[in-house]
mmCIF file of all heavy atoms in Angstrom:
data_model
loop_
_atom_site.group_PDB
_atom_site.id
_atom_site.type_symbol
_atom_site.label_atom_id
_atom_site.label_comp_id
_atom_site.label_asym_id
_atom_site.label_seq_id
_atom_site.Cartn_x
_atom_site.Cartn_y
_atom_site.Cartn_z
ATOM 1 N N THR B 24 26.506 6.667 26.078
ATOM 2 C CA THR B 24 25.499 7.343 25.304
ATOM 3 C C THR B 24 26.110 8.618 24.759
ATOM 4 O O THR B 24 27.266 8.892 24.992
ATOM 5 C CB THR B 24 24.267 7.723 26.198
ATOM 6 O OG1 THR B 24 24.739 8.369 27.352
ATOM 7 C CG2 THR B 24 23.500 6.525 26.528
ATOM 8 N N SER B 50 39.390 1.516 45.975
ATOM 9 C CA SER B 50 39.409 0.429 46.934
ATOM 10 C C SER B 50 38.662 0.746 48.196
ATOM 11 O O SER B 50 38.301 -0.168 48.923
ATOM 12 C CB SER B 50 40.857 0.068 47.267
ATOM 13 O OG SER B 50 41.702 1.123 47.002
ATOM 14 N N PRO B 75 37.854 -11.622 48.089
ATOM 15 C CA PRO B 75 36.661 -11.149 47.394
ATOM 16 C C PRO B 75 35.386 -11.612 48.074
ATOM 17 O O PRO B 75 34.398 -10.940 48.071
ATOM 18 C CB PRO B 75 36.770 -11.736 45.993
ATOM 19 C CG PRO B 75 38.136 -12.246 45.864
ATOM 20 C CD PRO B 75 38.725 -12.379 47.200
ATOM 21 N N ASN B 87 13.759 3.843 60.390
ATOM 22 C CA ASN B 87 13.528 5.274 60.667
ATOM 23 C C ASN B 87 14.519 6.065 59.856
ATOM 24 O O ASN B 87 15.702 5.794 59.892
ATOM 25 C CB ASN B 87 13.741 5.499 62.174
ATOM 26 C CG ASN B 87 13.372 6.900 62.567
ATOM 27 O OD1 ASN B 87 13.387 7.828 61.736
ATOM 28 N ND2 ASN B 87 13.071 7.108 63.818
ATOM 29 N N CYS B 110 26.088 8.677 49.542
ATOM 30 C CA CYS B 110 25.325 7.587 50.203
ATOM 31 C C CYS B 110 24.017 8.120 50.783
ATOM 32 O O CYS B 110 22.960 7.508 50.598
ATOM 33 C CB CYS B 110 26.148 6.996 51.351
ATOM 34 S SG CYS B 110 27.270 5.718 50.826
ATOM 35 N N LYS B 134 -5.911 -2.059 35.222
ATOM 36 C CA LYS B 134 -5.703 -3.435 34.823
ATOM 37 C C LYS B 134 -5.581 -3.425 33.279
ATOM 38 O O LYS B 134 -6.444 -2.941 32.560
ATOM 39 C CB LYS B 134 -6.908 -4.265 35.233
ATOM 40 C CG LYS B 134 -6.714 -5.724 35.009
ATOM 41 C CD LYS B 134 -7.906 -6.489 35.664
ATOM 42 C CE LYS B 134 -7.975 -7.855 35.125
ATOM 43 N NZ LYS B 134 -9.219 -8.508 35.452
ATOM 44 N N GLU B 146 -14.504 -9.257 15.095
ATOM 45 C CA GLU B 146 -15.637 -8.482 15.608
ATOM 46 C C GLU B 146 -15.874 -7.263 14.745
ATOM 47 O O GLU B 146 -17.045 -6.872 14.549
ATOM 48 C CB GLU B 146 -15.380 -8.061 17.040
ATOM 49 C CG GLU B 146 -15.354 -9.203 17.994
ATOM 50 C CD GLU B 146 -16.078 -8.879 19.268
ATOM 51 O OE1 GLU B 146 -16.395 -7.691 19.500
ATOM 52 O OE2 GLU B 146 -16.376 -9.788 19.987
ATOM 53 N N ALA B 153 -23.181 -6.443 10.247
ATOM 54 C CA ALA B 153 -24.432 -6.233 10.949
ATOM 55 C C ALA B 153 -25.012 -4.875 10.616
ATOM 56 O O ALA B 153 -26.224 -4.695 10.468
ATOM 57 C CB ALA B 153 -24.198 -6.340 12.456
ATOM 58 N N ILE B 155 -24.680 -3.296 7.815
ATOM 59 C CA ILE B 155 -25.329 -3.334 6.507
ATOM 60 C C ILE B 155 -26.630 -4.066 6.578
ATOM 61 O O ILE B 155 -27.626 -3.680 5.973
ATOM 62 C CB ILE B 155 -24.357 -4.065 5.501
ATOM 63 C CG1 ILE B 155 -23.096 -3.254 5.313
ATOM 64 C CG2 ILE B 155 -25.052 -4.229 4.160
ATOM 65 C CD1 ILE B 155 -22.070 -3.956 4.520
ATOM 66 N N ASP B 160 -31.662 3.283 8.433
ATOM 67 C CA ASP B 160 -32.578 4.366 8.057
ATOM 68 C C ASP B 160 -33.971 3.847 7.762
ATOM 69 O O ASP B 160 -34.957 4.395 8.208
ATOM 70 C CB ASP B 160 -32.009 5.057 6.815
ATOM 71 C CG ASP B 160 -30.786 5.862 7.134
ATOM 72 O OD1 ASP B 160 -30.621 6.143 8.332
ATOM 73 O OD2 ASP B 160 -30.006 6.163 6.226
ATOM 74 N N LYS B 172 -49.120 5.995 12.534
ATOM 75 C CA LYS B 172 -50.397 5.333 12.277
ATOM 76 C C LYS B 172 -51.129 5.001 13.540
ATOM 77 O O LYS B 172 -52.340 5.148 13.650
ATOM 78 C CB LYS B 172 -50.076 4.008 11.540
ATOM 79 C CG LYS B 172 -50.266 4.098 10.081
ATOM 80 C CD LYS B 172 -50.442 2.756 9.430
ATOM 81 C CE LYS B 172 -49.963 2.884 8.020
ATOM 82 N NZ LYS B 172 -49.260 1.749 7.521
ATOM 83 N N ASP B 178 -52.399 14.571 17.931
ATOM 84 C CA ASP B 178 -53.005 15.449 16.926
ATOM 85 C C ASP B 178 -52.033 16.505 16.423
ATOM 86 O O ASP B 178 -52.453 17.486 15.887
ATOM 87 C CB ASP B 178 -54.198 16.161 17.514
ATOM 88 C CG ASP B 178 -54.947 15.198 18.408
ATOM 89 O OD1 ASP B 178 -55.380 14.180 17.900
ATOM 90 O OD2 ASP B 178 -55.046 15.498 19.605
ATOM 91 N N GLN B 194 -64.498 13.085 -4.910
ATOM 92 C CA GLN B 194 -64.359 14.096 -5.903
ATOM 93 C C GLN B 194 -64.535 13.554 -7.336
ATOM 94 O O GLN B 194 -65.186 14.119 -8.159
ATOM 95 C CB GLN B 194 -62.958 14.755 -5.784
ATOM 96 C CG GLN B 194 -62.752 15.934 -6.679
ATOM 97 C CD GLN B 194 -61.294 16.291 -6.709
ATOM 98 O OE1 GLN B 194 -60.455 15.555 -6.215
ATOM 99 N NE2 GLN B 194 -60.967 17.420 -7.340
ATOM 100 N N GLU B 199 -73.755 7.039 -5.888
ATOM 101 C CA GLU B 199 -74.727 7.137 -4.816
ATOM 102 C C GLU B 199 -74.128 6.740 -3.490
ATOM 103 O O GLU B 199 -74.452 7.261 -2.469
ATOM 104 C CB GLU B 199 -75.933 6.244 -5.101
ATOM 105 C CG GLU B 199 -76.701 6.729 -6.293
ATOM 106 C CD GLU B 199 -77.879 5.816 -6.552
ATOM 107 O OE1 GLU B 199 -78.065 4.854 -5.735
ATOM 108 O OE2 GLU B 199 -78.636 6.075 -7.494
ATOM 109 N N GLU B 201 -71.421 7.343 -2.367
ATOM 110 C CA GLU B 201 -70.727 8.465 -1.696
ATOM 111 C C GLU B 201 -71.750 9.397 -1.031
ATOM 112 O O GLU B 201 -71.525 9.812 0.113
ATOM 113 C CB GLU B 201 -69.930 9.235 -2.726
ATOM 114 C CG GLU B 201 -68.719 8.486 -3.175
ATOM 115 C CD GLU B 201 -67.966 9.250 -4.198
ATOM 116 O OE1 GLU B 201 -68.490 10.270 -4.707
ATOM 117 O OE2 GLU B 201 -66.823 8.803 -4.514
ATOM 118 N N GLU B 203 -74.512 8.571 -0.006
ATOM 119 C CA GLU B 203 -75.022 7.887 1.187
ATOM 120 C C GLU B 203 -74.069 8.028 2.358
ATOM 121 O O GLU B 203 -74.458 8.302 3.487
ATOM 122 C CB GLU B 203 -75.205 6.373 0.903
ATOM 123 C CG GLU B 203 -76.420 6.089 0.076
ATOM 124 C CD GLU B 203 -76.478 4.612 -0.222
ATOM 125 O OE1 GLU B 203 -75.772 3.841 0.415
ATOM 126 O OE2 GLU B 203 -77.296 4.263 -1.122
ATOM 127 N N LYS B 215 -72.478 17.540 16.976
ATOM 128 C CA LYS B 215 -71.044 17.806 17.286
ATOM 129 C C LYS B 215 -70.729 19.227 16.942
ATOM 130 O O LYS B 215 -71.104 19.733 15.860
ATOM 131 C CB LYS B 215 -70.170 16.861 16.481
ATOM 132 C CG LYS B 215 -70.323 15.439 16.932
ATOM 133 C CD LYS B 215 -69.345 14.558 16.207
ATOM 134 C CE LYS B 215 -69.645 13.122 16.545
ATOM 135 N NZ LYS B 215 -69.040 12.201 15.591
ATOM 136 N N ARG B 239 -61.170 19.883 1.484
ATOM 137 C CA ARG B 239 -60.828 20.115 2.909
ATOM 138 C C ARG B 239 -62.019 19.839 3.799
ATOM 139 O O ARG B 239 -61.952 19.147 4.789
ATOM 140 C CB ARG B 239 -60.347 21.541 3.087
ATOM 141 C CG ARG B 239 -59.782 21.734 4.471
ATOM 142 C CD ARG B 239 -58.714 22.808 4.537
ATOM 143 N NE ARG B 239 -59.214 24.069 4.003
ATOM 144 C CZ ARG B 239 -59.750 25.029 4.773
ATOM 145 N NH1 ARG B 239 -59.890 24.829 6.036
ATOM 146 N NH2 ARG B 239 -60.186 26.123 4.246
ATOM 147 N N LYS B 268 -45.648 24.415 11.153
ATOM 148 C CA LYS B 268 -45.201 23.230 10.363
ATOM 149 C C LYS B 268 -46.186 22.848 9.293
ATOM 150 O O LYS B 268 -45.823 22.661 8.156
ATOM 151 C CB LYS B 268 -45.052 22.030 11.307
ATOM 152 C CG LYS B 268 -43.688 21.979 11.930
ATOM 153 C CD LYS B 268 -43.471 20.672 12.569
ATOM 154 C CE LYS B 268 -44.559 20.323 13.578
ATOM 155 N NZ LYS B 268 -44.237 20.651 14.916
ATOM 156 N N ALA B 271 -46.865 24.244 5.684
ATOM 157 C CA ALA B 271 -45.817 23.820 4.748
ATOM 158 C C ALA B 271 -46.091 22.435 4.258
ATOM 159 O O ALA B 271 -46.077 22.173 3.064
ATOM 160 C CB ALA B 271 -44.482 23.959 5.402
ATOM 161 N N GLN B 289 -57.131 4.321 -7.342
ATOM 162 C CA GLN B 289 -57.216 3.274 -6.326
ATOM 163 C C GLN B 289 -56.438 3.687 -5.092
ATOM 164 O O GLN B 289 -55.566 4.528 -5.122
ATOM 165 C CB GLN B 289 -56.634 1.964 -6.889
ATOM 166 C CG GLN B 289 -57.425 1.427 -7.981
ATOM 167 C CD GLN B 289 -56.610 0.469 -8.794
ATOM 168 O OE1 GLN B 289 -55.572 0.039 -8.340
ATOM 169 N NE2 GLN B 289 -57.084 0.150 -9.967
#
Side-chain angles (χ1 to χ4, degrees):
Chain B
T24 50
S50 22
N87 187 337
C110 274
K134 187 173 164 194
E146 291 222 347
I155 296 172
D160 289 340
K172 262 200 205 141
D178 321 301
Q194 188 193 8
E199 293 180 1
E201 288 178 349
E203 284 177 14
K215 290 184 188 165
R239 189 152 56 91
K268 274 194 304 264
Q289 294 160 15

